[in-house]
């Protein structure tokens, strides 16, 4: 690979270990915690399994003041 192509490549997804509190807003409701966050998504550890390729609404609580944001996510694994 030439130097020019290498310089134009986008960096790969870097994972940042993060433990954020998460609430599932759709049945079955429940709480969870993130394991890591990357530019491709959020890995969440939860007590209830969700169907692969299903969509779910989540509320994440961001530090430092636990400000909530709501997101729609697709279950990938």
């Amino acid at each position: 690979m030439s130097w020019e192509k290498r310089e134009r490549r986008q960096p790969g997804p870097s994972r940042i270990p993060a433990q954020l509190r998460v609430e599932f807003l759709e049945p079955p409701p429940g709480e969870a915690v993130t394991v890591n966050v990357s530019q491709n998504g959020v890995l969440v550890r939860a007590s209830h399994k969700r169907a692969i390729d299903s969509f779910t609404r989540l509320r994440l609580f961001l530090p430092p003041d636990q400000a909530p944001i709501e997101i729609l996510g697709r279950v990938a694994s």
Side-chain angles (χ1 to χ4, degrees), residues 5-68:
K5 283 186 180 179
R6 214 170 329 164
E7 290 300 308
R8 287 191 308 246
R9 283 190 356 198
Q10 295 294 323
S14 57
R15 290 179 178 84
I16 300 170
Q19 292 187 340
L20 305 174
R21 187 168 64 99
V22 176
E23 289 179 353
F24 286 93
L25 300 176
E26 295 176 349
E31 291 202 8
V33 66
T34 61
V35 176
N36 64 47
V37 178
S38 74
Q39 74 184 56
N40 288 338
V42 177
L43 177 60
V44 175
R45 180 174 293 133
S47 58
H48 292 90
K49 293 206 177 234
R50 309 282 168 165
I52 301 292
D53 286 333
S54 66
F55 287 89
T56 188
R57 290 184 316 122
L58 305 168
R59 181 177 295 135
L60 281 79
F61 296 89
L62 304 177
D65 59 352
Q66 298 300 299

